[in-house]
Amino acid sequence: MPQVGQTAPAFSLQNQDGESVSLSEFEGQRVVLYFYPKAGTEGCTIEANNFGDAFDEFERHDVPVLGVSMDSVADLAAFRDDEELPFTLLSDEDGTVAEKYDSAGDGTALRNTFVIGPNGDIEAVYEDVSPGEHAEQVLDDVAEHEVA
């Protein structure tokens, strides 16, 4: 698993609209990259809605949130629309990116989160997170990094 201080593995994936999104597009920005098992399931919906509820604060800190799962683009579009999610969802159907981040399980992504700093290095790693309060924890850590 990538550790704090290491360079975040590069990637390019399709978002919920079928558009390509690359990590390199966010150079100079802090980014939250969170992996989740399956769009529309109970835990993933809780986690996504928590990130959605905190989205304005992430935006205030100029920190994009990217959710990654092994769902299809169509499934991600439906999930975004059903839950009215304000952030980008990325489709990693073959699990290649999840594997780079040691976040690939048996056909699904594991619930791990990475904060990637403006220089492309990992600033924080959260493994096997609980979906309920996780977004607030990440937001608190993002705010701390901003001050540091």
Side-chain angles (χ1 to χ4, degrees):
M1 174 164 297
Q3 297 297 311
V4 171
Q6 292 180 328
T7 300
F11 64 82
S12 185
L13 294 170
Q14 286 189 321
N15 70 9
Q16 69 278 343
D17 298 318
E19 300 164 342
S20 182
V21 175
S22 299
L23 181 59
S24 61
E25 295 173 31
F26 300 97
E27 188 175 329
Q29 283 183 285
R30 188 164 279 113
V31 176
V32 172
L33 181 70
Y34 86 93
F35 292 86
Y36 62 96
K38 182 121 181 89
T41 58
E42 183 179 2
C44 296
T45 299
I46 290 169
E47 185 175 24
N49 282 318
N50 282 329
F51 274 111
D53 291 345
F55 184 72
D56 287 345
E57 281 299 304
F58 282 107
E59 271 198 321
R60 192 173 70 72
H61 292 283
D62 193 30
V63 177
V65 174
L66 306 174
V68 181
S69 71
M70 294 184 196
D71 294 299
S72 69
V73 168
D75 287 345
L76 294 181
F79 185 44
R80 181 215 34 212
D81 293 347
D82 290 347
E83 298 302 323
E84 299 179 3
L85 300 174
F87 55 87
T88 300
L89 301 175
L90 300 173
S91 175
D92 184 25
E93 281 192 90
D94 65 4
T96 302
V97 175
E99 286 179 17
K100 288 181 180 182
Y101 283 83
D102 286 334
S103 296
D106 188 20
T108 64
L110 302 175
R111 200 179 302 280
N112 297 326
T113 300
F114 301 85
V115 176
I116 302 167
N119 64 352
D121 290 346
I122 305 283
E123 291 184 340
V125 177
Y126 310 85
E127 291 183 66
D128 193 26
V129 302
S130 174
E133 312 263 328
H134 179 56
E136 285 300 319
Q137 177 188 20
V138 174
L139 187 58
D140 288 345
D141 289 348
V142 162
E144 276 185 34
H145 277 96
E146 192 173 75
V147 175

